[in-house]
Amino acid sequence: MNDDIITFEAPEPADLSELFPGYEVSSLIAQGGMGAVYHAIQISLERPVAIKLLPKEFGDESFKEQFAAEARAMAKLNHPNLIGIYDFGEVEGMPFIVMEYVEGKSLYYSCYQKAIEQTEAVRIVSEICQGLAHAHENGIIHRDIKPANILLDSHAHAKIGDFGLASPSDQDDEGIVYGTPGYAAPEIMTGEGALGTSSDLYAVGVILHELLTGKLPIDDPRPPSRLTKCHPQLDRVVRKATRVKPEARYSNALEIVEDLGKIPALRSLKTESVEAKKILLPETPEAQKPAVARTFTPAIPDTKESEGSAAAPVVVAIQPSTNWPLIRNLMIIALLIPALIFAWGKYQDKEKERESVIAEQKKEENASQALQKAKAQQQRKELEERSRRAALAKQKEKEDAEKFAATVHEQPKKTPLEELADLRGELRGGARSAFPKGTLKRGTDYFFLIEEPMTWGAACQFAEAHGGHLATPLGESDISWIGENQGDHRRVWIGGGAVGQNDWGWVTGKEWKHKKPLTNLGSCAALTRTGVLGARPNGEKLPFFIQWTADGVNSGGLEAQLERLKGTLGAPTPAWPPGTIFLQGRSYLLIHRSVSWDEADLIAGASGGHLAVSSDVVEKDFLREKLTSGLGKNEAAWLGGRRTNDGNWLWVTGEVWDQPDWATNSPDGNARDSALRFLSDGDASGWDDSRPNDASLAQSFMIEWSLDYKKAPAQVDGGGDAGAQEDAIVKLRIVGARYLGKQISENGKRTDSNRKRLIWDINSWIRNLPKSQHDRFIAKVNAIRQALPASGKIPANLNVGGLPSEAVTIFQKALERQNRFDQTLEQDISKFRTNYLSKLLAARKQAEDAGFKEKLPAFDQEIEALGQSVADFRDHFAMGEE
C-alpha cells in the first residue's frame, strides 16, 4: 500500500503507557505512513512484546469488523515461522495489535541488494513457505509478502509478520492498492482477478529471485542462474512461482518447499565444481598413442662460412624408444603451472574478500544482537527498579495507613457493593472522583460489574439509581473487552434492546451497528463471554455492568430516553427506547421503577402516552403474556385503571371497561384499593386492586402509546362528574409535592455525605503529616471543622487561607461536588416541572372536552401558579430546603 496516502504521526512512548496500563512502552521501533511499532514489556508476564498502532483513518466500522475477525483468526495460528498475535483492540480511535517481539532485523535490511549463498536462500524461502502454508490452511491470506515483512530472529530463522491486518479491503474506494510494487502479483496491481493464496506465492518467487541475485525480476528478468552461479533448477522454481496467470503458479506453499528439496545439496554442487576444474588438465588422444619417428630441419646459422656452400639438411630421427612423450607432457605442465598459480591466487583473493564481507556482516549482526541484549537488560533493570520503587511506595502507603488507623477508631472493611451504596448519592449527582473497588476504566468511561443477577428492567433501574446505565458496547473492540472482563459469567445484560420486530437500539440513543439479533427469544440485549450478542426475555435474571461517563451526564437514564422520544412522536420513526414492543399500531414500554400509581401516571402522560389499558381481548392477552414474561414472581406493574367512588372501574383513556382479567381472590373490595396493577403469580396471575399512593406495591409500570383513546367517549380521570375535576388537581398537587420532596431529600443526603467525606479527607491529610507540619496546621484545621455545619451544605466562603495547596484542593473538590449536586437537582426539578405541566394541560383538555367549562379557571389558576422558573415551581409547593 502507498504509505504517502496517509500521514501518521506516531505518539511518544511515554504517552502510550497511559493508554496501555498493562504494558511498559519503552521505545519506538519503526514508523511509517501506515502506523508505528513500539517495543514494550507486558508487566504481568514480564515478557517483551511489540505493539503496532494504526492511524485513526482505519477506525471506520467496516474495517473494525474485518480487523477484529482477522486478528482473532491470526491469534489462533501457532507456527514457528509466524509472529504470534497476543491481543488487539482500539485506543483513542487508533486500532492496535499486541504481538510477539522478535530480536533481530528484517530480511530487507539483511539482504538488500545482496545475493546470498544459495543454500541459505533456499532455507529462508522454505521457512517462509512453511509459515504461509499454515496461515493459508486457516483461511488467512497475507496480501503483502516482502522482505520488510519477514523478520530474522537471533538464529536467522524467518518469521512472517504484518498479515494484512491494515487492509480493510483489497482496494478501497479511492483506488488504493494493497501490496508493494515489485512483489505484488499482477492481479493485485491491476485489480483484475480474485486475491488468493497464489498471490502470496508470487511474492515468494520474487523474494527467491532477489535473494539469489540481489535484484528484483522487474529490474532484471533474466533467470537467476544467468546472473549468479546458482543451481539451474532454481530458475524453474522462480519461473513457476511468478507466472502471470494465478492458475499457472504453485497451488500451495508446500509445493515450493517440495521442489526446493529436490535440488541437489550444496555438497554435491561443490563436487561438481571440483570435477569441472579437472577439465583444465586433459589427457589428449596423442598421449595415448605409441611414439613415432619425427624429423625437423634446424635453422641455418647466419654466418659467412655458410655463404656459397650448400649444406645438406640435418635429419634427426627420434626413435619410438625415446622419452619424447614424457618430455612433451612435462613441457605442457610447465606451461600450465603459472596459469594455475595465477588462477588459484585470484580464487584465494575472492575467497578472502567473501570471507571479509561475511565477517563484517557477522560483526554487524553480533553488534546489533549485543545492542538489543543490552537494551533488553537495561529495560529489565529499569523495570526491576520501578518495581522496587513501587514496592517501597506500597510499603510506605501501608505504614501510613497503619499509622492513620492507630489514630482513629477502626473502620469495618466494606465490600465493593457497600462502597457503591455509599457513593450512590455522589454518582447520581454526576460526581466522578470516586468509585468502588473493582471499577475498570476504559477510555473516558468507567465500568463496574454487578454480579447479583437481576431482570433487565431491574438492572436498568439499579444502574440509573447510581448515576449510570447498562454498558453499551458500540464497537467490536468494546464487545471483546466486556467479554474478557465479565469473569466466569456466561452471559451479562447490556444496555440495548429491540425497538420493533427488526430494529435494535441503545439506551443512550446511539445507533446500533452490530448484527441485529432475532426477537423470538426476547427483546433485551445480552452478551456472552465469547462475544455473541443475543436477545433474552426481560424476566430472565443476569449480572450486568454499570457504565458511567466522565462528564457526569447520564444519556441512558429513563428521563433522557423519554425526552428523546417525546420530541419524535410525530415523526415517521420515533426514537423508541430499547425494550419497546408493538401490537397493531400500539407501542408499549415496561419500566422497572417503584413509584406510586399517581407518579407512574404522571410520567406516562408527560412522555406523550398513558398507563397501558386493555382495549380488546387481543390486547388483554398480549399484555398478560408480556407482563408475565417481564416480571419476576410476585412482582407487579401498574396499569391505567382507576376505580371511582361509586365502585366502577374506568380506563384512564375513557375506553370501555370490558372482560376484566382479575387474578385469583381479586378484587378484594377494599375501599382504599382504587388503582389497578398486574400481579405476576404463576397460574394465579392477573389484575389486582391496590392502594394508588403506595410505591412498594408495584415494582414496574407499563406505558402505552396509541390512538385508541380517540375511539372512546371523552371522559376525565376519576369519572364524569364535575367534582372529579377538582379531585384531579388535588391529586396532581399531592403527587407533585411528594415527588419534589423526594428529590430534595435525596439531594440533602448527597450533600450531607459530601460534607462527611470532606471531614474524613481533611482528617486523613492532617494525620499523615510529619509532626512539625501537623503542629503547624492543626489549629487552622480545627477552626475549619468548627466552622462546618453539623449537617447540610459546606459554606462557599469557608476560610481555608494559610493551608498548603493540597489541603485547599480537598476543599475545592468538595465544593465542586456540592455545586454539581445542586445542578443535578435543578435539572431534575426542571424536568419534573415540564412533566407536571404536561399532565395538568392534558387534564384541563379532558375537562374541556367533557363540557365542564366552569372548572377550567381552576386549571388555569394552577397553571399560572407554577410560574416561569424552577424557583417559582418549588415555591408553589412550599418545599423550601431545610
Side-chain angles (χ1 to χ4, degrees):
M1 181 176 179
N2 187 355
D3 290 357
D4 296 334
I5 295 173
I6 297 175
T7 302
F8 178 53
E9 295 184 4
E12 291 297 323
D15 298 334
L16 283 185
S17 293
E18 297 181 3
L19 300 178
F20 293 90
Y23 300 87
E24 289 288 343
V25 183
S26 58
S27 62
L28 177 65
I29 298 175
Q31 177 185 357
M34 302 303 294
V37 180
Y38 297 83
H39 179 269
I41 298 293
Q42 187 176 3
I43 298 173
S44 60
L45 298 178
E46 296 186 0
R47 69 174 171 185
V49 298
I51 299 177
K52 181 170 183 179
L53 203 61
L54 305 180
K56 291 183 179 180
E57 285 79 0
F58 289 119
D60 61 276
E61 291 301 324
S62 64
F63 170 71
K64 287 179 182 178
E65 292 180 4
Q66 180 179 346
F67 176 81
E70 293 202 24
R72 290 194 187 99
M74 278 299 301
K76 294 176 183 177
L77 300 183
N78 183 16
H79 195 275
N81 297 119
L82 300 179
I83 293 179
I85 302 295
Y86 299 150
D87 194 9
F88 73 97
E90 178 185 333
V91 291
E92 294 192 351
M94 296 180 289
F96 71 85
I97 315 163
V98 180
M99 66 187 85
E100 174 188 359
Y101 174 71
V102 179
E103 268 194 32
K105 54 185 177 180
S106 72
L107 187 60
Y108 174 83
Y109 290 109
S110 299
C111 304
Y112 179 65
Q113 293 186 345
K114 284 188 231 179
I116 68 172
E117 207 280 323
Q118 58 185 343
T119 53
E120 190 67 6
V122 168
R123 180 188 65 80
I124 292 173
V125 169
S126 296
E127 291 181 351
I128 295 172
C129 288
Q130 289 166 7
L132 273 180
H134 182 70
H136 289 167
E137 287 172 1
N138 288 273
I140 301 295
I141 300 173
H142 191 288
R143 298 185 177 94
D144 194 16
I145 290 291
K146 59 183 178 181
N149 287 338
I150 309 297
L151 296 183
L152 298 179
D153 63 14
S154 57
H155 298 289
H157 291 299
K159 283 182 173 287
I160 308 174
D162 258 358
F163 262 84
L165 292 173
S167 305
S169 63
D170 298 331
Q171 185 172 352
D172 67 8
D173 295 337
E174 297 180 0
I176 301 174
V177 178
Y178 291 89
T180 302
Y183 299 94
E187 64 268 18
I188 295 179
M189 303 307 295
T190 62
E192 299 176 358
L195 186 71
T197 57
S198 61
S199 305
D200 285 348
L201 302 185
Y202 180 93
V204 173
V206 174
I207 291 175
L208 179 57
H209 184 284
E210 183 179 11
L211 294 179
L212 293 170
T213 66
K215 299 178 181 180
L216 291 173
I218 195 173
D219 298 326
D220 194 335
R222 288 180 293 171
S225 64
R226 297 274 302 277
L227 300 175
T228 59
K229 293 181 180 180
C230 66
H231 200 286
Q233 290 188 29
L234 291 170
D235 297 343
R236 189 183 66 82
V237 176
V238 172
R239 185 168 58 253
K240 184 173 181 180
T242 56
R243 295 284 190 190
V244 174
K245 294 183 178 181
E247 60 270 18
R249 300 175 201 149
Y250 287 100
S251 60
N252 63 72
L254 292 182
E255 287 185 0
I256 298 180
V257 178
E258 183 179 353
D259 276 4
L260 291 174
K262 295 176 181 178
I263 298 175
L266 181 61
R267 186 172 59 82
S268 354
L269 297 176
K270 289 181 177 178
T271 302
E272 292 175 8
S273 299
V274 172
E275 292 296 325
K277 291 178 182 178
K278 292 182 179 180
I279 299 174
L280 297 174
L281 299 173
E283 292 185 2
T284 61
E286 289 78 8
Q288 306 297 324
K289 295 178 181 179
V292 296
R294 299 193 182 188
T295 63
F296 68 92
T297 305
I300 301 174
D302 188 15
T303 61
K304 291 182 180 181
E305 288 118 359
S306 63
E307 291 180 3
S309 63
V314 177
V315 180
V316 179
I318 301 177
Q319 300 300 324
S321 60
T322 65
N323 291 325
W324 170 246
L326 177 60
I327 295 171
R328 183 198 59 191
N329 289 345
L330 289 174
M331 291 173 65
I332 293 173
I333 292 172
L335 292 173
L336 289 177
I337 284 175
L340 290 173
I341 293 173
F342 178 79
W344 178 253
K346 287 292 185 181
Y347 173 75
Q348 290 288 75
D349 291 342
K350 287 186 177 180
E351 282 296 301
K352 288 179 181 179
E353 182 181 352
R354 188 177 70 85
E355 291 174 358
S356 176
V357 172
I358 293 174
E360 186 65 26
Q361 292 176 348
K362 189 66 176 177
K363 183 178 178 181
E364 291 178 1
E365 292 177 1
N366 291 339
S368 175
Q369 292 174 8
L371 180 61
Q372 292 291 342
K373 289 180 180 178
K375 286 183 179 179
Q377 289 175 356
Q378 181 65 26
Q379 290 167 358
R380 281 195 291 270
K381 288 180 180 179
E382 291 176 358
L383 183 60
E384 290 172 359
E385 179 63 19
R386 284 195 294 270
S387 300
R388 186 184 68 82
R389 291 177 182 175
L392 290 175
K394 190 173 182 180
Q395 179 64 25
K396 186 178 184 305
E397 182 181 350
K398 180 180 179 182
E399 292 172 356
D400 292 344
E402 291 174 351
K403 175 183 174 183
F404 173 73
T407 61
V408 297
H409 295 295
E410 185 178 355
Q411 296 291 329
K413 292 184 178 179
K414 295 184 178 181
T415 66
L417 276 179
E418 290 172 336
E419 291 179 355
L420 178 64
D422 290 343
L423 293 169
R424 173 177 174 174
E426 294 183 21
L427 294 170
R428 177 82 170 84
R432 298 293 183 262
S433 57
F435 293 94
K437 286 192 296 286
T439 300
L440 303 174
K441 187 174 187 296
R442 177 170 167 80
T444 58
D445 293 348
Y446 301 87
F447 298 83
F448 183 76
L449 177 61
I450 302 295
E451 302 196 57
E452 178 185 351
M454 300 184 190
T455 64
W456 189 83
C460 287
Q461 194 275 334
F462 185 90
E464 183 176 356
H466 293 83
H469 55 76
L470 294 188
T472 54
L474 304 180
E476 290 295 334
S477 61
D478 302 321
I479 285 180
S480 299
W481 184 85
I482 289 179
E484 292 168 1
N485 289 281
Q486 68 188 58
D488 296 330
H489 302 293
R490 181 169 173 266
R491 185 181 283 115
V492 296
W493 288 126
I494 55 175
V499 284
Q501 294 298 323
N502 301 313
D503 208 1
W504 285 71
W506 297 108
V507 294
T508 56
K510 298 289 185 180
E511 181 184 358
W512 183 284
K513 296 183 179 180
H514 303 293
K515 182 180 179 181
K516 296 169 184 176
L518 299 176
T519 57
N520 57 332
L521 294 179
S523 59
C524 304
L527 181 66
T528 67
R529 283 197 309 268
T530 56
V532 178
L533 274 171
R536 307 299 298 175
N538 179 53
E540 186 173 331
K541 293 186 177 183
L542 297 174
F544 57 93
F545 278 95
I546 303 178
Q547 180 176 351
W548 296 278
T549 56
D551 58 9
V553 176
N554 186 9
S555 59
L558 176 63
E559 285 78 8
Q561 294 182 61
L562 295 181
E563 191 67 25
R564 286 194 295 269
L565 169 64
K566 187 177 178 181
T568 61
L569 279 175
T573 55
W576 298 112
T580 304
I581 52 180
F582 302 91
L583 172 70
Q584 298 177 351
R586 308 177 181 104
S587 306
Y588 306 86
L589 179 64
L590 180 64
I591 296 175
H592 192 98
R593 179 176 290 189
S594 294
V595 296
S596 66
W597 187 95
D598 294 315
E599 288 181 74
D601 182 50
L602 184 65
I603 294 172
S607 68
H610 55 78
L611 290 179
V613 304
S614 176
S615 302
D616 51 40
V617 174
V618 174
E619 187 175 11
K620 178 180 66 176
D621 293 341
F622 176 81
L623 289 175
R624 166 180 274 275
E625 175 191 352
K626 298 303 179 184
L627 289 171
T628 300
S629 63
L631 298 173
K633 185 172 176 57
N634 294 324
E635 289 186 345
W638 294 120
L639 297 176
R642 287 300 297 264
R643 191 180 64 184
T644 62
N645 294 333
D646 57 8
N648 294 321
W649 285 89
L650 298 173
W651 294 117
V652 292
T653 58
E655 297 174 60
V656 177
W657 179 278
D658 189 24
Q659 299 184 14
D661 188 18
W662 294 110
T664 305
N665 301 323
S666 295
D668 57 16
N670 191 310
R672 294 188 301 168
D673 295 344
S674 58
L676 185 67
R677 65 174 184 167
F678 182 89
L679 179 63
S680 178
D681 188 17
D683 295 337
S685 299
W687 300 356
D688 182 56
D689 52 338
S690 296
R691 294 187 299 278
N693 57 352
D694 191 342
S696 65
L697 294 176
Q699 294 73 34
S700 306
F701 58 94
M702 179 79 89
I703 301 180
E704 176 183 348
W705 292 271
S706 71
L707 299 178
D708 291 343
Y709 66 90
K710 291 187 177 181
K711 305 173 185 177
Q715 291 189 22
V716 184
D717 289 358
D721 57 88
Q725 312 313 313
E726 297 176 356
D727 289 343
I729 295 177
V730 172
K731 288 177 182 178
L732 279 173
R733 284 178 181 170
I734 293 172
V735 173
R738 184 184 300 121
Y739 183 83
L740 201 57
K742 183 167 68 174
Q743 294 295 320
I744 294 173
S745 175
E746 287 185 1
N747 188 64
K749 292 177 182 178
R750 290 195 291 265
T751 301
D752 194 54
S753 174
N754 185 51
R755 181 189 58 80
K756 292 178 181 178
R757 179 177 172 185
L758 168 62
I759 295 173
W760 176 274
D761 289 345
I762 200 64
N763 285 347
S764 299
W765 171 78
I766 192 67
R767 286 184 176 121
N768 283 280
L769 289 177
K771 188 177 186 306
S772 59
Q773 295 186 40
H774 179 279
D775 295 342
R776 178 183 174 187
F777 297 117
I778 187 62
K780 181 65 177 177
V781 169
N782 287 335
I784 293 174
R785 287 176 185 151
Q786 293 175 1
L788 288 172
S791 62
K793 289 190 173 183
I794 302 168
N797 58 351
L798 195 64
N799 183 11
V800 294
L803 289 177
S805 60
E806 57 265 27
V808 174
T809 300
I810 292 174
F811 286 99
Q812 289 175 342
K813 288 185 176 180
L815 286 174
E816 289 173 2
R817 289 193 296 269
Q818 182 171 277
N819 292 336
R820 193 180 294 113
F821 297 157
D822 291 342
Q823 292 172 6
T824 301
L825 176 64
E826 193 84 358
Q827 293 169 359
D828 289 344
I829 295 178
S830 178
K831 292 176 183 177
F832 177 67
R833 179 183 179 278
T834 302
N835 294 346
Y836 184 88
L837 183 60
S838 298
K839 186 65 177 177
L840 196 60
L841 290 171
R844 183 188 185 282
K845 187 176 186 309
Q846 286 182 330
E848 185 177 13
D849 292 344
F852 298 113
K853 295 184 179 180
E854 68 277 9
K855 298 301 179 181
L856 298 184
F859 285 101
D860 294 336
Q861 183 179 357
E862 179 71 10
I863 293 171
E864 184 178 357
L866 297 181
Q868 301 298 317
S869 65
V870 171
D872 294 338
F873 186 72
R874 290 177 63 168
D875 291 342
H876 174 65
F877 289 99
M879 293 295 295
E881 293 187 61
E882 299 179 359

